[in-house]
Amino acid sequence: MVKWILQCVTTTSFTLSLNGSNFGYFKGKRGLRQGDPMSPLLFTICLEYLTRILDVVTARHDYRFHPLYRALKLGHLAFADDLLLFCKGDVSSVKIPMRAFLTVSEASGLKVNQDKSNLYMNGVGSHVTAQISRMSGFQRGTLLFRYLGISISHKRLSNAECSKLVDKIVAKIRGWGTKHLSYAGSLF
């Protein structure tokens, strides 16, 4: 399997199409690109590697879970190319997943996008916040932000916020139904 993946990554070549005619070939020097059919699979393998490393390092005695997730032993959630990490707001607990990122980065060549990443902290002193921000390289974000159309906050979602989400889902489902009906069927 590894040999197949390396074959796909190391033997890429490209051609230029100009006015409907192809001009020459040149070798790819940096592996797969966005849009390549292999990219999602390889990214999933890398994310699985990161998840397994995070599972191991969060079991260490010096790692402390976020107080709300301690009973669940929840240290991270991943969805597509998004990753949420949860830990106690102290420097030693934040260093542990940062080392895991470094390990995966060195093995895969993937890097965390510092511009699209944020730290969200509550109840942490300004000195510790500044220290964690410097160590991680991430800027501090403010709570109440939107992720996948849902407001994320340290407080429970209100009924009004949940009903907005339900309304969006219902509207989307209704739209799917009318796309697959004939004109006469959509009148009813």
Side-chain angles (χ1 to χ4, degrees):
M1 177 75 164
V2 171
K3 287 180 183 177
W4 287 345
I5 292 171
L6 284 174
Q7 187 72 15
C8 291
V9 173
T10 59
T11 61
T12 59
S13 62
F14 303 94
T15 184
L16 297 175
S17 177
L18 185 63
N19 295 330
S21 299
N22 292 337
F23 293 95
Y25 285 90
F26 59 95
K27 302 264 313 153
K29 296 195 181 205
R30 298 196 55 196
L32 301 174
R33 295 286 183 247
Q34 186 174 354
D36 190 295
M38 284 287 288
S39 293
L41 175 64
L42 293 177
F43 181 79
T44 301
I45 292 170
C46 292
L47 191 59
E48 179 65 23
Y49 178 52
L50 175 62
T51 296
R52 289 177 186 220
I53 288 176
L54 287 171
D55 286 342
V56 169
V57 299
T58 56
R60 292 174 41 162
H61 66 85
D62 55 341
Y63 179 82
R64 297 192 322 182
F65 288 95
H66 187 282
L68 294 176
Y69 308 116
R70 187 178 309 129
L72 297 171
K73 296 201 180 297
L74 178 65
H76 66 281
L77 291 173
F79 179 75
D81 63 346
D82 295 325
L83 180 69
L84 301 172
L85 295 172
F86 310 102
C87 69
K88 178 84 173 158
D90 60 53
V91 175
S92 62
S93 292
V94 174
K95 275 184 184 178
I96 293 170
M98 294 307 296
R99 283 191 208 127
F101 281 145
L102 185 60
T103 300
V104 173
S105 180
E106 289 171 352
S108 68
L110 295 174
K111 297 199 182 327
V112 174
N113 187 335
Q114 301 278 342
D115 296 330
K116 293 183 177 180
S117 302
N118 288 306
L119 291 169
Y120 297 96
M121 294 180 268
N122 195 20
V124 178
S126 60
H127 175 68
V128 174
T129 299
Q131 207 175 0
I132 291 172
S133 187
R134 269 193 314 276
M135 180 208 44
S136 67
F138 302 141
Q139 58 188 339
R140 184 164 184 198
T142 56
L143 278 176
L144 198 59
F145 64 96
R146 298 184 73 73
Y147 178 69
L148 298 177
I150 301 172
S151 296
I152 304 294
S153 173
H154 63 285
K155 298 177 184 172
R156 184 178 289 228
L157 291 176
S158 69
N159 285 341
E161 290 170 322
C162 287
S163 66
K164 286 180 194 174
L165 179 62
V166 170
D167 292 342
K168 282 183 179 180
I169 292 170
V170 168
K172 191 69 132 171
I173 291 171
R174 284 191 182 129
W176 291 339
T178 58
K179 283 182 183 177
H180 300 291
L181 294 175
S182 66
Y183 176 72
S186 63
L187 292 176
F188 294 102

